[in-house]
Amino acid sequence: MKSTAAAKTRLTSLTEDASIIPEDAPFRSRLHYLFAQIEKEFEQLYLENLNLQDKLENATAITKESLTPYDQRSAAGGALVATGSGGASLAATPATPSAPLGDEIGASLLAAASSTHKSLKAKLSSATGGSKVKASNKIKAQTSRIVSSFKAQTVVSSVVREFGGHKDGIWQVAAKVGQPIIGTASADHTACIWGIESGRCLLQYQGHAGSVNSIKFHQCRDLVLTGSGDGTAHIWQAAVNWEVPKKGHSSEEELDDSDGQLEDRERVDSLRTPLCEFTGPGGHLSVVVAADWLSSMDQIITGSWDRTAILWDVETAQPLQPLTGHDHELTHVSAHPTQRLVVTASRDTTFRLWDFRDPIPAVSVFQGHTETVTSSVFARNDKVVSGSDDRTIKVWELRNMRSALATIRTDSSVNRLAVSSGGIIAIPHDNRQIRLFDLNGQRVARLPRTSRQGHRRMVSSVAWSEEPVLNCDLFSCGFDRRVFGWSIVLPKDN
């Protein structure tokens, strides 16, 4: 009772201490102070429990020593009954006639008393000491983790490149493996190829009649796949002439050169004719919101607002199989980098895993979000990461659809996220922020955003560069019409 009263007094004092913290003190400093006080209180409670346990042991020893011969003789006529706090009783059998009465009774009484005290001590210690100590240690560990989450960031990040030129918001950015270029898909009906070193547009694709909603590079060839609001997906040539990298001009093949009136260094090459167009009978009836290459690169997957995804053959540009089942419009499709697996995300709050490794495709439904699933992508070790308008990101195991391995809660809707080969999730938000987490759900960093650095409107997409050029590890794009290249130095343990 005393320790409880003392704890209440200290907690009251803690509240009073919190009230006298200057209001103008930094918020994080106040949290550090409060959590330090809480941890101190738990430490004191733990020490008090240890003191109580020591007192109990001393009382047990004194009781055992105070058992007199008179007490032994008074119980000689029958059984000795000792009842502890838990109501347990122990009975000592009467002495046999063949044994000396005093010695045998004394031995029996001492054995019974010793057993009783041991039982009482075990019960009291488990009721008062053990459970409280365990609870204290558990809360103490949780408090330490909470406090550690407020420690200063060890990630160094900054904008090192900026790309500008689109006339409307940018839906997606993609990085090309093996070449220092990135691609962007914009609502201004164009897609652009940019040189990372020069920061200039090398090629502008003008073949779509609607907003370009997605862009993906071919793994090996100079080909680009785009999906558009005109209900089609296109594959087009994106060969860049690296003999003049500073001027940033692409190959003259299939390019629509204005009139030759502009100076060579100011000209932006444009392309209007696709190599392959995915449309027609069996195709989509509405906006193509996303498209991706399958690992074999001989097939593509497209997702549409018509609630279906379609598997296409690249060589013939014919639909191979419609993927139906979603109840609302699709928002994203993504293919596994090495296996014939595809995930489709939808406004119906689910995403589906399609397995094309067998002749008859199998489908699995992942349910866990409460609002639109805005993106779902594959990560290392057979994991899938999904983001949603419900402001959460979930990490899933491919073989376990029932529950997520980790849930990341944020303060804004999540757009098209990306996972690095090292397992770092880059999360673009509606509130102009970009956050980094690992696959265990632990926060890594939040990229800086000031009046001079970062996006000014919604961040719609991010893409990791697995082979950084000029220290550009991550690219982001948004509806401020800008693309940023970020240098990110992660802690060694990540």
Side-chain angles (χ1 to χ4, degrees):
M1 293 297 292
K2 290 183 179 180
S3 67
T4 304
K8 289 182 178 178
T9 302
R10 285 195 297 272
L11 288 175
T12 303
S13 176
L14 174 60
T15 305
E16 294 173 353
D17 291 342
S19 66
I20 64 174
I21 298 175
E23 291 297 331
D24 57 350
F27 183 66
R28 182 170 295 181
S29 299
R30 297 183 67 192
L31 287 177
H32 272 298
Y33 174 80
L34 292 176
F35 279 120
Q37 292 296 324
I38 292 172
E39 191 168 4
K40 183 178 179 181
E41 289 298 320
F42 284 130
E43 183 68 25
Q44 291 179 355
L45 286 175
Y46 173 70
L47 294 176
E48 287 183 2
N49 283 328
L50 291 180
N51 291 333
L52 288 174
Q53 191 169 358
D54 292 339
K55 290 180 180 179
L56 179 63
E57 291 177 353
N58 294 334
T60 301
I62 293 173
T63 304
K64 182 176 179 180
E65 292 175 358
S66 63
L67 191 61
T68 63
Y70 175 81
D71 298 322
Q72 299 172 14
R73 289 192 298 271
S74 65
L80 168 69
V81 179
T83 305
S85 62
S89 62
L90 293 174
T93 57
T96 58
S98 59
L101 184 61
D103 293 341
E104 189 159 336
I105 291 176
S108 300
L109 290 175
L110 285 172
S114 175
S115 176
T116 301
H117 288 305
K118 287 180 181 179
S119 174
L120 178 61
K121 176 184 174 182
K123 288 183 179 182
L124 287 177
S125 109
S126 64
T128 61
S131 61
K132 288 185 179 179
V133 169
K134 290 179 181 178
S136 174
N137 289 339
K138 184 176 180 181
I139 297 174
K140 182 178 177 181
Q142 291 175 346
T143 305
S144 298
R145 285 196 295 271
I146 294 173
V147 173
S148 65
S149 68
F150 288 97
K151 291 181 180 178
Q153 297 181 4
T154 56
V155 174
V156 179
S157 57
S158 61
V159 173
V160 294
R161 275 289 184 274
E162 181 175 349
F163 309 83
H166 279 294
K167 297 178 181 178
D168 205 339
I170 304 171
W171 283 115
Q172 190 167 20
V173 60
K176 171 71 171 176
V177 177
Q179 292 187 30
I181 58 176
I182 61 171
T184 53
S186 173
D188 65 7
H189 298 194
T190 69
C192 288
I193 304 298
W194 307 81
I196 297 176
E197 295 180 357
S198 65
R200 298 182 62 243
C201 179
L202 306 180
L203 175 64
Q204 185 181 70
Y205 181 68
Q206 302 173 354
H208 284 293
S211 169
V212 185
N213 300 322
S214 71
I215 184 167
K216 287 285 184 175
F217 285 102
H218 191 284
Q219 284 187 359
C220 307
R221 301 173 59 188
D222 294 327
L223 300 176
V224 177
L225 170 65
T226 49
S228 171
D230 60 13
T232 69
H234 290 178
I235 293 178
W236 41 278
Q237 186 78 35
V240 178
N241 183 3
W242 294 109
E243 293 180 359
V244 283
K246 292 183 179 180
K247 296 181 181 179
H249 298 305
S250 55
S251 171
E252 294 181 358
E253 297 179 9
E254 295 192 77
L255 297 182
D256 178 52
D257 190 355
S258 38
D259 291 329
Q261 301 292 328
L262 298 176
E263 291 185 11
D264 192 45
R265 63 191 183 95
E266 295 178 352
R267 185 184 63 186
V268 175
D269 292 320
S270 62
L271 173 66
R272 288 194 177 95
T273 307
L275 295 177
C276 190
E277 183 175 1
F278 301 88
T279 185
H284 288 296
L285 304 177
S286 185
V287 170
V288 175
V289 70
D292 199 3
W293 303 87
L294 265 67
S295 58
S296 59
M297 296 291 145
D298 59 354
Q299 296 174 351
I300 66 165
I301 187 78
T302 57
S304 170
W305 283 2
D306 62 11
R307 306 185 183 184
T308 69
I310 298 178
L311 185 69
W312 301 80
D313 181 78
V314 171
E315 185 176 353
T316 63
Q318 294 299 310
L320 298 177
Q321 184 174 357
L323 309 180
T324 61
H326 282 293
D327 296 329
H328 294 288
E329 295 92 336
L330 269 65
T331 57
H332 194 228
V333 296
S334 181
H336 194 283
T338 59
Q339 302 184 54
R340 292 178 58 79
L341 299 171
V342 168
V343 284
T344 58
S346 170
R347 289 185 57 201
D348 63 10
T349 74
T350 72
F351 70 92
R352 294 176 178 239
L353 171 68
W354 307 83
D355 189 345
F356 296 104
R357 292 175 295 187
D358 296 325
I360 301 178
V363 59
S364 303
V365 182
F366 290 73
Q367 297 175 320
H369 292 288
T370 59
E371 295 186 33
T372 298
V373 181
T374 54
S375 65
S376 53
V377 299
F378 290 96
R380 65 180 186 179
N381 300 329
D382 292 329
K383 292 182 175 62
V384 175
V385 181
S386 60
S388 170
D389 279 341
D390 64 10
R391 304 181 180 184
T392 68
I393 302 91
K394 294 179 181 285
V395 181
W396 307 79
E397 174 67 46
L398 284 181
R399 293 178 291 273
N400 180 17
M401 300 177 295
R402 296 182 179 179
S403 60
L405 298 176
T407 298
I408 301 167
R409 303 188 184 280
T410 64
D411 58 355
S412 180
S413 294
V414 178
N415 296 312
R416 293 184 178 178
L417 51 80
V419 185
S420 72
S421 59
I424 301 299
I425 310 170
I427 307 168
H429 288 286
D430 273 0
N431 65 359
R432 303 170 290 175
Q433 301 287 354
I434 302 173
R435 291 179 171 88
L436 306 181
F437 283 79
D438 63 23
L439 290 173
N440 296 320
Q442 298 298 314
R443 176 174 169 172
V444 176
R446 181 176 66 181
L447 301 192
R449 196 193 71 79
T450 64
S451 59
R452 293 178 295 177
Q453 184 173 221
H455 289 282
R456 298 173 183 172
R457 296 184 64 185
M458 174 187 79
V459 187
S460 53
S461 170
V462 289
W464 288 98
S465 175
E466 301 304 337
E467 299 175 356
V469 178
L470 298 178
N471 295 323
C472 288
D473 304 285
L474 179 72
F475 297 94
S476 64
C477 66
F479 263 64
D480 55 3
R481 309 178 186 181
R482 296 190 295 176
V483 181
F484 291 120
W486 298 83
S487 172
I488 301 174
V489 181
L490 296 172
K492 293 182 180 179
D493 56 350
N494 283 334

